[in-house]
Amino acid sequence: MKIAALILAAGRGQRFEEDLPKQYYILEGRPILRHSLALFSAHPAVTTIQTVIHPDDRTLYNESARGFDLSSPVFGGETRQDSVRMGLESLARENPDLVLIHDGARPFVDFGVIDRVLTGLESTPAVIPAISIRDTIKRSDGNGQVVETVDRSNLYASQTPQGFEFSRIFEAHHQARGENLTDDAAVARKAGLSVRIVKGDSANVKITSKADLLYKKSRGGGDIRTGSGFDVHGFKEGDQISLCGVDIPCDSALRGHSDADVALHAVTDALLGAIGAGDIGAHFPADEIEWKDRESEYFVRHTCTLVQAMGGEITNVDLSLICEKPKINAYRSHMSARLAEILDLPVSRVNIKATTTEGLGFTGRREGIAATATATVRMG
Ligand code: CTP
Ligand code: MG
C-alpha cells in the first residue's frame, strides 16, 4: 500500500507577523516545518513525503529538510487550495493509494492522530481528525451584536492530516478548482464524498498567530525516553560473524538477511522504541530489495537521523549478548569503539555485556545468538 504525505508550506503567514514565513520560525530549536517532516519520516506506514513550498523559500526549505529522504518540493499557488492541487498533481506520477494532507504549520501532530486517520481510511474514502468545540459559540450580525447562540453539540474544529483515497481527492480538487476552500474535507464534500471524523488532538494546533506558540507542548530537558530491543539469529555453516560491525572469527556464521548483525538489530529496535517509532521490520522490511543486503550499520545510522530529526539526543546504549560462542571478551573493547562510532557517541556512553545461559536453552545448545539492548534518549 502506497501512502503519501503531502505537507503544505507555501503560505506567507501574514497573520503571524514575522519577517519570515511562520513554517520556518524556530520552535524548540528547529523550524516549525521540520517537526512535521520528522514525524512523517519516522512513521512506518508513510512511503512518500511531498512538500509544497513557495519559490522564495528554497533556502529556508533546504535547511528545514536537511537529512530527510523526501521527494523534491513543488511550488504552491495563491491559495491553500491551489497549493494542495499542485501537490496532488506532482504525486499523480506515482499514484499512491492514500494521501495524508497536512499543514506544515501544525508541528505538534503525533502518531496517534495519524494512526486514527489511517484506521478510518480502511473503511471510508475520506477521514479528518477533529475536536469538539468547548466554548459557547455566538453568531453576530457583523457589527458586534450577538444575534444567536449556536448549538455546538454537533460542531467540530477540523485539523490535519486529513486522509483520502488519492484518486478521489485528486478528482475532487480538479472539480473545485478556482474556489477558496480552506480545508480538503470541504473539497471532498463538494464532490459528494462522505467524510468521517476521527478524534483529533487538542495539542495539534495550527500556528496562526504568535499566541499559538504558547500552546507548545512542554517537553523540557526532563523528557527522557527509554526503548528496549531484542533479536535472535541462528547459526549456519561458516567461519565468521559480524557483531556491532566487527568481524569475529567463529566456527559458524549467522543466518539472516543482510549481515545478520544481531547486536546492531537489537540496538536499532531499542532506538526506535525510545522515540515511539515502531520496529526495525516496519522501517526496513526484509522483503524489500532496498534493504536486502544493506549492512546493519546503515539501519542504526538511519535510526540515529530519525532520533535527531525528532529533536532527540541519545544519552546511552547498553547491549547484552547472550551466547556460548564466540567468546565476546576478546572483542568487547573493539566492539564498543565501533558501536560508539556508528552512534556518534563517546565510548563512555556505550556498554557491551555478554553472558552464557549455562548451557540451557537454544543459546546453551549453541544454536544461535540472542541480543538485548536498551537505549535512552533525551528529547530536546
Ligand atoms: N498554505 C499553502 N499555500 C498557500 C496558503 C497556505 O501551502 N497559498 C499552507 C500554509 O503554509 C500552512 C497551511 O497551508 O501550512 C495552512 O494555511 P494558513 O494557516 O492559512 O497559513 P498561511 O496562509 O501561511 O497564513 P496566513 O493565512 O496568516 O497568511
Ligand atoms: Mg492562509
Coordinates of all heavy atoms in Angstrom, one line a residue, residues 8-15 22-23 77-80 83 103-105 206, ligand 1:
L8 N 2.0 20.9 3.4 CA 1.9 22.3 2.8 C 2.7 23.3 3.5 O 2.6 23.4 4.8 CB 0.4 22.7 3.0 CG -0.5 21.8 2.2 CD1 -1.9 22.0 2.6 CD2 -0.3 22.0 0.7
A9 N 3.5 24.0 2.8 CA 4.3 25.0 3.4 C 4.5 26.2 2.4 O 5.6 26.8 2.4 CB 5.7 24.4 3.8
A10 N 3.5 26.5 1.6 CA 3.7 27.6 0.6 C 3.0 28.9 1.0 O 3.1 29.8 0.3 CB 3.1 27.1 -0.7
G11 N 2.4 28.9 2.2 CA 1.8 30.1 2.7 C 2.7 31.2 3.1 O 3.9 31.0 3.3
R12 N 2.2 32.4 3.3 CA 3.1 33.5 3.6 C 3.0 33.9 5.1 O 3.7 34.7 5.6 CB 2.7 34.8 2.8 CG 2.9 34.7 1.3 CD 4.4 34.5 0.9 NE 4.9 33.2 1.1 CZ 6.2 32.9 1.2 NH1 7.1 33.8 1.1 NH2 6.5 31.6 1.5
G13 N 2.0 33.3 5.8 CA 1.9 33.5 7.3 C 1.7 35.0 7.6 O 2.3 35.5 8.6
Q14 N 0.7 35.6 6.9 CA 0.5 37.0 7.2 C 0.1 37.3 8.6 O 0.5 38.3 9.2 CB -0.5 37.6 6.2 CG 0.3 38.3 5.0 CD -0.4 38.1 3.7 OE1 -1.6 37.7 3.6 NE2 0.3 38.4 2.6
R15 N -0.8 36.4 9.1 CA -1.3 36.7 10.5 C -0.2 36.4 11.6 O -0.5 36.7 12.7 CB -2.5 35.8 10.7 CG -3.7 36.2 9.9 CD -4.8 35.2 9.9 NE -4.5 34.0 9.1 CZ -5.2 32.9 9.1 NH1 -6.4 32.9 9.8 NH2 -4.9 31.9 8.3
K22 N 5.9 31.7 8.8 CA 5.8 31.0 10.1 C 6.3 29.6 10.1 O 6.9 29.1 11.1 CB 4.4 31.0 10.6 CG 3.4 30.3 9.7 CD 1.9 30.5 10.2 CE 1.0 29.7 9.3 NZ -0.4 30.0 9.5
Q23 N 6.2 28.9 9.0 CA 6.6 27.5 9.0 C 8.1 27.3 9.1 O 8.6 26.2 9.4 CB 6.1 26.7 7.7 CG 6.5 27.3 6.4 CD 5.6 28.3 5.9 OE1 5.0 29.1 6.7 NE2 5.4 28.5 4.6
G77 N 0.6 27.6 -4.9 CA -0.1 28.7 -5.6 C -0.6 29.7 -4.6 O -0.2 29.8 -3.5
E78 N -1.5 30.6 -5.1 CA -2.1 31.7 -4.4 C -2.8 31.3 -3.1 O -2.6 31.9 -2.0 CB -3.1 32.4 -5.2 CG -2.4 33.4 -6.2 CD -1.8 34.6 -5.5 OE1 -2.5 35.2 -4.7 OE2 -0.6 34.8 -5.8
T79 N -3.6 30.3 -3.2 CA -4.4 29.9 -2.0 C -4.0 28.5 -1.6 O -3.3 27.7 -2.3 CB -5.9 29.8 -2.4 OG1 -6.1 28.7 -3.3 CG2 -6.4 31.1 -2.9
R80 N -4.4 28.1 -0.3 CA -4.1 26.8 0.2 C -4.6 25.7 -0.8 O -4.0 24.7 -1.1 CB -4.6 26.6 1.6 CG -4.3 25.3 2.2 CD -5.1 25.0 3.5 NE -4.7 23.8 4.1 CZ -5.1 22.6 3.8 NH1 -5.9 22.5 2.7 NH2 -4.7 21.5 4.4
S83 N -2.4 25.2 -3.7 CA -1.2 24.5 -3.3 C -1.4 23.0 -3.2 O -0.6 22.2 -3.6 CB -0.6 25.1 -2.0 OG -0.2 26.4 -2.1
D103 N -1.0 20.4 7.2 CA -0.5 21.8 7.2 C 0.9 21.7 7.9 O 1.1 21.3 9.0 CB -1.4 22.6 8.2 CG -2.7 22.9 7.6 OD1 -2.9 22.9 6.4 OD2 -3.7 23.0 8.4
G104 N 1.9 22.2 7.1 CA 3.2 22.3 7.7 C 3.3 23.2 8.9 O 4.3 23.2 9.7
A105 N 2.2 24.0 9.2 CA 2.1 24.9 10.3 C 1.5 24.2 11.5 O 1.1 24.8 12.5 CB 1.3 26.1 9.9
K206 N -2.9 24.6 14.8 CA -2.2 25.2 13.7 C -1.6 26.5 14.2 O -2.4 27.3 14.8 CB -3.2 25.5 12.5 CG -2.5 26.2 11.3 CD -3.3 26.0 10.1 CE -4.6 26.8 10.2 NZ -4.4 28.3 10.1
Ligands
CTP1 N1 -0.5 27.2 2.5 C1 0.0 26.9 1.3 N2 -0.2 27.7 0.2 C2 -1.0 28.8 0.3 C3 -1.5 29.1 1.6 C4 -1.3 28.3 2.7 O1 0.7 25.8 1.2 N3 -1.1 29.5 -0.7 C5 -0.2 26.3 3.7 C6 0.5 27.1 4.8 O2 1.9 27.1 4.6 C7 0.1 26.3 6.0 C8 -1.3 25.7 5.7 O3 -1.4 25.9 4.3 O4 1.0 25.3 6.3 C9 -2.4 26.4 6.4 O5 -2.6 27.7 6.0 P1 -2.6 29.0 6.9 O6 -2.5 28.7 8.3 O7 -3.6 30.0 6.4 O8 -1.1 29.6 6.5 P2 -0.7 30.9 5.8 O9 -1.6 31.1 4.6 O10 0.8 30.9 5.6 O11 -1.0 32.1 6.9 P3 -1.9 33.4 6.7 O12 -3.2 33.0 6.2 O13 -1.9 34.0 8.0 O14 -1.1 34.2 5.7

